[in-house]
PDB file of all heavy atoms in Angstrom:
ATOM      1  N   PRO A 123       8.199   6.554   6.737  1.00 97.00           N
ATOM      2  CA  PRO A 123       7.677   5.452   5.919  1.00 97.00           C
ATOM      3  C   PRO A 123       7.422   4.169   6.692  1.00 97.00           C
ATOM      4  O   PRO A 123       6.497   3.425   6.372  1.00 97.00           O
ATOM      5  CB  PRO A 123       8.771   5.258   4.852  1.00 97.00           C
ATOM      6  CG  PRO A 123      10.013   5.805   5.480  1.00 97.00           C
ATOM      7  CD  PRO A 123       9.553   6.965   6.318  1.00 97.00           C
ATOM      8  N   GLU A 124       8.252   3.908   7.724  1.00 97.00           N
ATOM      9  CA  GLU A 124       8.030   2.686   8.505  1.00 97.00           C
ATOM     10  C   GLU A 124       6.675   2.717   9.201  1.00 97.00           C
ATOM     11  O   GLU A 124       5.965   1.709   9.252  1.00 97.00           O
ATOM     12  CB  GLU A 124       9.142   2.511   9.552  1.00 97.00           C
ATOM     13  CG  GLU A 124      10.522   2.264   8.985  1.00 97.00           C
ATOM     14  CD  GLU A 124      11.258   3.560   8.692  1.00 97.00           C
ATOM     15  OE1 GLU A 124      10.646   4.644   8.839  1.00 97.00           O
ATOM     16  OE2 GLU A 124      12.439   3.491   8.304  1.00 97.00           O
ATOM     17  N   ALA A 125       6.321   3.900   9.733  1.00 97.00           N
ATOM     18  CA  ALA A 125       5.026   4.030  10.410  1.00 97.00           C
ATOM     19  C   ALA A 125       3.871   3.905   9.430  1.00 97.00           C
ATOM     20  O   ALA A 125       2.757   3.529   9.810  1.00 97.00           O
ATOM     21  CB  ALA A 125       4.954   5.378  11.133  1.00 97.00           C
ATOM     22  N   ALA A 126       4.123   4.218   8.168  1.00 98.00           N
ATOM     23  CA  ALA A 126       3.069   4.177   7.155  1.00 98.00           C
ATOM     24  C   ALA A 126       2.725   2.760   6.716  1.00 98.00           C
ATOM     25  O   ALA A 126       1.597   2.495   6.274  1.00 98.00           O
ATOM     26  CB  ALA A 126       3.505   4.986   5.925  1.00 98.00           C
ATOM     27  N   LEU A 127       3.663   1.851   6.829  1.00 98.00           N
ATOM     28  CA  LEU A 127       3.501   0.523   6.229  1.00 98.00           C
ATOM     29  C   LEU A 127       2.270  -0.247   6.707  1.00 98.00           C
ATOM     30  O   LEU A 127       1.554  -0.822   5.872  1.00 98.00           O
ATOM     31  CB  LEU A 127       4.768  -0.309   6.451  1.00 98.00           C
ATOM     32  CG  LEU A 127       6.021   0.216   5.746  1.00 98.00           C
ATOM     33  CD1 LEU A 127       7.234  -0.649   6.085  1.00 98.00           C
ATOM     34  CD2 LEU A 127       5.806   0.273   4.238  1.00 98.00           C
ATOM     35  N   PRO A 128       1.968  -0.302   8.013  1.00 98.00           N
ATOM     36  CA  PRO A 128       0.778  -1.057   8.429  1.00 98.00           C
ATOM     37  C   PRO A 128      -0.515  -0.515   7.823  1.00 98.00           C
ATOM     38  O   PRO A 128      -1.402  -1.286   7.446  1.00 98.00           O
ATOM     39  CB  PRO A 128       0.777  -0.912   9.955  1.00 98.00           C
ATOM     40  CG  PRO A 128       2.180  -0.589  10.314  1.00 98.00           C
ATOM     41  CD  PRO A 128       2.708   0.227   9.181  1.00 98.00           C
ATOM     42  N   PHE A 129      -0.616   0.814   7.718  1.00 98.00           N
ATOM     43  CA  PHE A 129      -1.822   1.418   7.155  1.00 98.00           C
ATOM     44  C   PHE A 129      -1.940   1.115   5.656  1.00 98.00           C
ATOM     45  O   PHE A 129      -3.017   0.763   5.162  1.00 98.00           O
ATOM     46  CB  PHE A 129      -1.805   2.931   7.380  1.00 98.00           C
ATOM     47  CG  PHE A 129      -1.792   3.321   8.824  1.00 98.00           C
ATOM     48  CD1 PHE A 129      -0.654   3.866   9.399  1.00 98.00           C
ATOM     49  CD2 PHE A 129      -2.903   3.132   9.631  1.00 98.00           C
ATOM     50  CE1 PHE A 129      -0.623   4.223  10.735  1.00 98.00           C
ATOM     51  CE2 PHE A 129      -2.896   3.490  10.975  1.00 98.00           C
ATOM     52  CZ  PHE A 129      -1.744   4.032  11.521  1.00 98.00           C
ATOM     53  N   LEU A 130      -0.836   1.247   4.947  1.00 98.00           N
ATOM     54  CA  LEU A 130      -0.857   1.009   3.506  1.00 98.00           C
ATOM     55  C   LEU A 130      -1.083  -0.472   3.188  1.00 98.00           C
ATOM     56  O   LEU A 130      -1.760  -0.804   2.207  1.00 98.00           O
ATOM     57  CB  LEU A 130       0.448   1.501   2.876  1.00 98.00           C
ATOM     58  CG  LEU A 130       0.663   3.008   2.963  1.00 98.00           C
ATOM     59  CD1 LEU A 130       2.059   3.386   2.476  1.00 98.00           C
ATOM     60  CD2 LEU A 130      -0.397   3.761   2.160  1.00 98.00           C
ATOM     61  N   LYS A 131      -0.535  -1.335   4.014  1.00 98.00           N
ATOM     62  CA  LYS A 131      -0.759  -2.768   3.822  1.00 98.00           C
ATOM     63  C   LYS A 131      -2.222  -3.116   4.043  1.00 98.00           C
ATOM     64  O   LYS A 131      -2.820  -3.885   3.264  1.00 98.00           O
ATOM     65  CB  LYS A 131       0.119  -3.570   4.783  1.00 98.00           C
ATOM     66  CG  LYS A 131      -0.030  -5.074   4.618  1.00 98.00           C
ATOM     67  CD  LYS A 131       0.874  -5.816   5.595  1.00 98.00           C
ATOM     68  CE  LYS A 131       0.729  -7.324   5.430  1.00 98.00           C
ATOM     69  NZ  LYS A 131       1.568  -8.071   6.404  1.00 98.00           N
ATOM     70  N   THR A 132      -2.823  -2.540   5.085  1.00 98.00           N
ATOM     71  CA  THR A 132      -4.239  -2.786   5.363  1.00 98.00           C
ATOM     72  C   THR A 132      -5.108  -2.294   4.216  1.00 98.00           C
ATOM     73  O   THR A 132      -6.064  -2.965   3.811  1.00 98.00           O
ATOM     74  CB  THR A 132      -4.655  -2.081   6.670  1.00 98.00           C
ATOM     75  OG1 THR A 132      -3.898  -2.623   7.756  1.00 98.00           O
ATOM     76  CG2 THR A 132      -6.139  -2.291   6.953  1.00 98.00           C
ATOM     77  N   ALA A 133      -4.777  -1.117   3.680  1.00 97.00           N
ATOM     78  CA  ALA A 133      -5.545  -0.562   2.562  1.00 97.00           C
ATOM     79  C   ALA A 133      -5.479  -1.485   1.352  1.00 97.00           C
ATOM     80  O   ALA A 133      -6.499  -1.772   0.710  1.00 97.00           O
ATOM     81  CB  ALA A 133      -5.014   0.824   2.200  1.00 97.00           C
ATOM     82  N   LEU A 134      -4.287  -1.969   1.049  1.00 97.00           N
ATOM     83  CA  LEU A 134      -4.119  -2.838  -0.117  1.00 97.00           C
ATOM     84  C   LEU A 134      -4.837  -4.160   0.075  1.00 97.00           C
ATOM     85  O   LEU A 134      -5.481  -4.668  -0.851  1.00 97.00           O
ATOM     86  CB  LEU A 134      -2.630  -3.082  -0.373  1.00 97.00           C
ATOM     87  CG  LEU A 134      -2.284  -3.958  -1.582  1.00 97.00           C
ATOM     88  CD1 LEU A 134      -2.850  -3.350  -2.858  1.00 97.00           C
ATOM     89  CD2 LEU A 134      -0.777  -4.146  -1.694  1.00 97.00           C
ATOM     90  N   GLU A 135      -4.753  -4.717   1.268  1.00 97.00           N
ATOM     91  CA  GLU A 135      -5.445  -5.977   1.541  1.00 97.00           C
ATOM     92  C   GLU A 135      -6.953  -5.815   1.445  1.00 97.00           C
ATOM     93  O   GLU A 135      -7.665  -6.743   1.068  1.00 97.00           O
ATOM     94  CB  GLU A 135      -5.047  -6.496   2.925  1.00 97.00           C
ATOM     95  CG  GLU A 135      -3.605  -6.994   3.001  1.00 97.00           C
ATOM     96  CD  GLU A 135      -3.196  -7.368   4.411  1.00 97.00           C
ATOM     97  OE1 GLU A 135      -3.922  -6.984   5.355  1.00 97.00           O
ATOM     98  OE2 GLU A 135      -2.150  -8.029   4.572  1.00 97.00           O
ATOM     99  N   ALA A 136      -7.441  -4.609   1.781  1.00 96.00           N
ATOM    100  CA  ALA A 136      -8.884  -4.358   1.738  1.00 96.00           C
ATOM    101  C   ALA A 136      -9.389  -4.154   0.316  1.00 96.00           C
ATOM    102  O   ALA A 136     -10.546  -4.451   0.013  1.00 96.00           O
ATOM    103  CB  ALA A 136      -9.230  -3.133   2.585  1.00 96.00           C
ATOM    104  N   ASN A 137      -8.521  -3.646  -0.552  1.00 95.00           N
ATOM    105  CA  ASN A 137      -8.945  -3.374  -1.933  1.00 95.00           C
ATOM    106  C   ASN A 137      -7.753  -3.447  -2.874  1.00 95.00           C
ATOM    107  O   ASN A 137      -7.072  -2.460  -3.136  1.00 95.00           O
ATOM    108  CB  ASN A 137      -9.599  -1.997  -2.023  1.00 95.00           C
ATOM    109  CG  ASN A 137     -10.148  -1.715  -3.422  1.00 95.00           C
ATOM    110  OD1 ASN A 137     -10.133  -2.587  -4.292  1.00 95.00           O
ATOM    111  ND2 ASN A 137     -10.619  -0.513  -3.635  1.00 95.00           N
ATOM    112  N   GLN A 138      -7.512  -4.640  -3.412  1.00 95.00           N
ATOM    113  CA  GLN A 138      -6.391  -4.830  -4.328  1.00 95.00           C
ATOM    114  C   GLN A 138      -6.685  -4.313  -5.728  1.00 95.00           C
ATOM    115  O   GLN A 138      -5.795  -4.289  -6.590  1.00 95.00           O
ATOM    116  CB  GLN A 138      -6.012  -6.310  -4.391  1.00 95.00           C
ATOM    117  CG  GLN A 138      -5.447  -6.844  -3.090  1.00 95.00           C
ATOM    118  CD  GLN A 138      -4.804  -8.207  -3.246  1.00 95.00           C
ATOM    119  OE1 GLN A 138      -4.711  -8.757  -4.344  1.00 95.00           O
ATOM    120  NE2 GLN A 138      -4.336  -8.755  -2.144  1.00 95.00           N
ATOM    121  N   GLN A 139      -7.908  -3.882  -5.962  1.00 94.00           N
ATOM    122  CA  GLN A 139      -8.264  -3.344  -7.271  1.00 94.00           C
ATOM    123  C   GLN A 139      -7.861  -1.871  -7.405  1.00 94.00           C
ATOM    124  O   GLN A 139      -7.854  -1.334  -8.510  1.00 94.00           O
ATOM    125  CB  GLN A 139      -9.774  -3.477  -7.508  1.00 94.00           C
ATOM    126  CG  GLN A 139     -10.281  -4.908  -7.442  1.00 94.00           C
ATOM    127  CD  GLN A 139      -9.570  -5.821  -8.420  1.00 94.00           C
ATOM    128  OE1 GLN A 139      -9.404  -5.485  -9.593  1.00 94.00           O
ATOM    129  NE2 GLN A 139      -9.131  -6.985  -7.934  1.00 94.00           N
ATOM    130  N   GLN A 140      -7.564  -1.248  -6.284  1.00 95.00           N
ATOM    131  CA  GLN A 140      -7.181   0.167  -6.321  1.00 95.00           C
ATOM    132  C   GLN A 140      -5.693   0.269  -6.642  1.00 95.00           C
ATOM    133  O   GLN A 140      -4.831  -0.029  -5.819  1.00 95.00           O
ATOM    134  CB  GLN A 140      -7.496   0.818  -4.961  1.00 95.00           C
ATOM    135  CG  GLN A 140      -7.016   2.240  -4.785  1.00 95.00           C
ATOM    136  CD  GLN A 140      -7.550   3.199  -5.827  1.00 95.00           C
ATOM    137  OE1 GLN A 140      -6.867   3.472  -6.812  1.00 95.00           O
ATOM    138  NE2 GLN A 140      -8.776   3.694  -5.615  1.00 95.00           N
ATOM    139  N   ARG A 141      -5.386   0.721  -7.849  1.00 95.00           N
ATOM    140  CA  ARG A 141      -4.003   0.792  -8.339  1.00 95.00           C
ATOM    141  C   ARG A 141      -3.123   1.673  -7.456  1.00 95.00           C
ATOM    142  O   ARG A 141      -1.957   1.350  -7.191  1.00 95.00           O
ATOM    143  CB  ARG A 141      -4.018   1.316  -9.776  1.00 95.00           C
ATOM    144  CG  ARG A 141      -2.662   1.481 -10.426  1.00 95.00           C
ATOM    145  CD  ARG A 141      -2.848   1.841 -11.903  1.00 95.00           C
ATOM    146  NE  ARG A 141      -1.616   2.216 -12.530  1.00 95.00           N
ATOM    147  CZ  ARG A 141      -1.130   3.464 -12.531  1.00 95.00           C
ATOM    148  NH1 ARG A 141      -1.811   4.427 -11.936  1.00 95.00           N
ATOM    149  NH2 ARG A 141       0.007   3.740 -13.128  1.00 95.00           N
ATOM    150  N   GLN A 142      -3.677   2.772  -6.983  1.00 96.00           N
ATOM    151  CA  GLN A 142      -2.883   3.699  -6.173  1.00 96.00           C
ATOM    152  C   GLN A 142      -2.424   3.065  -4.873  1.00 96.00           C
ATOM    153  O   GLN A 142      -1.362   3.411  -4.350  1.00 96.00           O
ATOM    154  CB  GLN A 142      -3.689   4.965  -5.877  1.00 96.00           C
ATOM    155  CG  GLN A 142      -2.888   6.052  -5.170  1.00 96.00           C
ATOM    156  CD  GLN A 142      -1.681   6.493  -5.964  1.00 96.00           C
ATOM    157  OE1 GLN A 142      -1.791   6.782  -7.165  1.00 96.00           O
ATOM    158  NE2 GLN A 142      -0.520   6.542  -5.314  1.00 96.00           N
ATOM    159  N   PHE A 143      -3.182   2.108  -4.356  1.00 97.00           N
ATOM    160  CA  PHE A 143      -2.786   1.446  -3.117  1.00 97.00           C
ATOM    161  C   PHE A 143      -1.486   0.662  -3.322  1.00 97.00           C
ATOM    162  O   PHE A 143      -0.616   0.634  -2.446  1.00 97.00           O
ATOM    163  CB  PHE A 143      -3.886   0.509  -2.629  1.00 97.00           C
ATOM    164  CG  PHE A 143      -5.122   1.218  -2.125  1.00 97.00           C
ATOM    165  CD1 PHE A 143      -6.222   0.485  -1.704  1.00 97.00           C
ATOM    166  CD2 PHE A 143      -5.187   2.605  -2.074  1.00 97.00           C
ATOM    167  CE1 PHE A 143      -7.367   1.131  -1.232  1.00 97.00           C
ATOM    168  CE2 PHE A 143      -6.327   3.260  -1.609  1.00 97.00           C
ATOM    169  CZ  PHE A 143      -7.419   2.519  -1.183  1.00 97.00           C
ATOM    170  N   TRP A 144      -1.365   0.004  -4.463  1.00 97.00           N
ATOM    171  CA  TRP A 144      -0.138  -0.722  -4.795  1.00 97.00           C
ATOM    172  C   TRP A 144       1.045   0.233  -4.888  1.00 97.00           C
ATOM    173  O   TRP A 144       2.119  -0.021  -4.326  1.00 97.00           O
ATOM    174  CB  TRP A 144      -0.291  -1.467  -6.122  1.00 97.00           C
ATOM    175  CG  TRP A 144      -1.184  -2.658  -6.087  1.00 97.00           C
ATOM    176  CD1 TRP A 144      -2.521  -2.689  -6.372  1.00 97.00           C
ATOM    177  CD2 TRP A 144      -0.825  -4.001  -5.743  1.00 97.00           C
ATOM    178  NE1 TRP A 144      -3.012  -3.963  -6.233  1.00 97.00           N
ATOM    179  CE2 TRP A 144      -1.991  -4.791  -5.858  1.00 97.00           C
ATOM    180  CE3 TRP A 144       0.371  -4.612  -5.368  1.00 97.00           C
ATOM    181  CZ2 TRP A 144      -1.990  -6.158  -5.593  1.00 97.00           C
ATOM    182  CZ3 TRP A 144       0.378  -5.983  -5.108  1.00 97.00           C
ATOM    183  CH2 TRP A 144      -0.794  -6.736  -5.213  1.00 97.00           C
ATOM    184  N   ILE A 145       0.843   1.327  -5.586  1.00 97.00           N
ATOM    185  CA  ILE A 145       1.920   2.287  -5.808  1.00 97.00           C
ATOM    186  C   ILE A 145       2.374   2.910  -4.497  1.00 97.00           C
ATOM    187  O   ILE A 145       3.581   3.032  -4.232  1.00 97.00           O
ATOM    188  CB  ILE A 145       1.457   3.376  -6.807  1.00 97.00           C
ATOM    189  CG1 ILE A 145       1.232   2.743  -8.184  1.00 97.00           C
ATOM    190  CG2 ILE A 145       2.474   4.511  -6.896  1.00 97.00           C
ATOM    191  CD1 ILE A 145       0.566   3.659  -9.180  1.00 97.00           C
ATOM    192  N   SER A 146       1.423   3.305  -3.662  1.00 97.00           N
ATOM    193  CA  SER A 146       1.770   3.941  -2.390  1.00 97.00           C
ATOM    194  C   SER A 146       2.497   2.972  -1.465  1.00 97.00           C
ATOM    195  O   SER A 146       3.472   3.345  -0.795  1.00 97.00           O
ATOM    196  CB  SER A 146       0.510   4.479  -1.704  1.00 97.00           C
ATOM    197  OG  SER A 146      -0.093   5.493  -2.471  1.00 97.00           O
ATOM    198  N   TYR A 147       2.025   1.731  -1.406  1.00 98.00           N
ATOM    199  CA  TYR A 147       2.672   0.737  -0.545  1.00 98.00           C
ATOM    200  C   TYR A 147       4.075   0.430  -1.046  1.00 98.00           C
ATOM    201  O   TYR A 147       5.036   0.352  -0.267  1.00 98.00           O
ATOM    202  CB  TYR A 147       1.820  -0.526  -0.500  1.00 98.00           C
ATOM    203  CG  TYR A 147       2.282  -1.569   0.502  1.00 98.00           C
ATOM    204  CD1 TYR A 147       2.843  -1.202   1.726  1.00 98.00           C
ATOM    205  CD2 TYR A 147       2.136  -2.929   0.236  1.00 98.00           C
ATOM    206  CE1 TYR A 147       3.250  -2.156   2.644  1.00 98.00           C
ATOM    207  CE2 TYR A 147       2.531  -3.894   1.161  1.00 98.00           C
ATOM    208  CZ  TYR A 147       3.095  -3.504   2.356  1.00 98.00           C
ATOM    209  OH  TYR A 147       3.492  -4.450   3.268  1.00 98.00           O
ATOM    210  N   LEU A 148       4.220   0.279  -2.359  1.00 97.00           N
ATOM    211  CA  LEU A 148       5.525   0.012  -2.951  1.00 97.00           C
ATOM    212  C   LEU A 148       6.490   1.155  -2.653  1.00 97.00           C
ATOM    213  O   LEU A 148       7.636   0.940  -2.262  1.00 97.00           O
ATOM    214  CB  LEU A 148       5.382  -0.189  -4.456  1.00 97.00           C
ATOM    215  CG  LEU A 148       6.679  -0.392  -5.261  1.00 97.00           C
ATOM    216  CD1 LEU A 148       7.429  -1.616  -4.757  1.00 97.00           C
ATOM    217  CD2 LEU A 148       6.358  -0.528  -6.740  1.00 97.00           C
ATOM    218  N   ASN A 149       6.019   2.381  -2.828  1.00 97.00           N
ATOM    219  CA  ASN A 149       6.861   3.548  -2.561  1.00 97.00           C
ATOM    220  C   ASN A 149       7.304   3.595  -1.103  1.00 97.00           C
ATOM    221  O   ASN A 149       8.477   3.883  -0.798  1.00 97.00           O
ATOM    222  CB  ASN A 149       6.109   4.825  -2.916  1.00 97.00           C
ATOM    223  CG  ASN A 149       6.908   6.068  -2.609  1.00 97.00           C
ATOM    224  OD1 ASN A 149       7.952   6.325  -3.201  1.00 97.00           O
ATOM    225  ND2 ASN A 149       6.432   6.868  -1.672  1.00 97.00           N
ATOM    226  N   ALA A 150       6.386   3.314  -0.179  1.00 98.00           N
ATOM    227  CA  ALA A 150       6.723   3.347   1.247  1.00 98.00           C
ATOM    228  C   ALA A 150       7.751   2.265   1.598  1.00 98.00           C
ATOM    229  O   ALA A 150       8.670   2.505   2.391  1.00 98.00           O
ATOM    230  CB  ALA A 150       5.466   3.165   2.091  1.00 98.00           C
ATOM    231  N   LEU A 151       7.599   1.085   1.012  1.00 97.00           N
ATOM    232  CA  LEU A 151       8.566   0.008   1.251  1.00 97.00           C
ATOM    233  C   LEU A 151       9.954   0.406   0.764  1.00 97.00           C
ATOM    234  O   LEU A 151      10.958   0.139   1.426  1.00 97.00           O
ATOM    235  CB  LEU A 151       8.114  -1.275   0.553  1.00 97.00           C
ATOM    236  CG  LEU A 151       6.940  -2.013   1.198  1.00 97.00           C
ATOM    237  CD1 LEU A 151       6.389  -3.073   0.248  1.00 97.00           C
ATOM    238  CD2 LEU A 151       7.354  -2.649   2.522  1.00 97.00           C
ATOM    239  N   ILE A 152      10.001   1.048  -0.391  1.00 96.00           N
ATOM    240  CA  ILE A 152      11.287   1.503  -0.927  1.00 96.00           C
ATOM    241  C   ILE A 152      11.890   2.567  -0.015  1.00 96.00           C
ATOM    242  O   ILE A 152      13.084   2.532   0.299  1.00 96.00           O
ATOM    243  CB  ILE A 152      11.116   2.036  -2.359  1.00 96.00           C
ATOM    244  CG1 ILE A 152      10.729   0.892  -3.313  1.00 96.00           C
ATOM    245  CG2 ILE A 152      12.408   2.699  -2.851  1.00 96.00           C
ATOM    246  CD1 ILE A 152      10.374   1.349  -4.712  1.00 96.00           C
TER     247      ILE A 152
END
């Protein structure tokens, strides 16, 4: 999950309208 965080953060910053991006980033942080 630590390795995933930069990619998921970039995805969310690029498109905050995509609900799944929030969920995936939140899950990885947890």
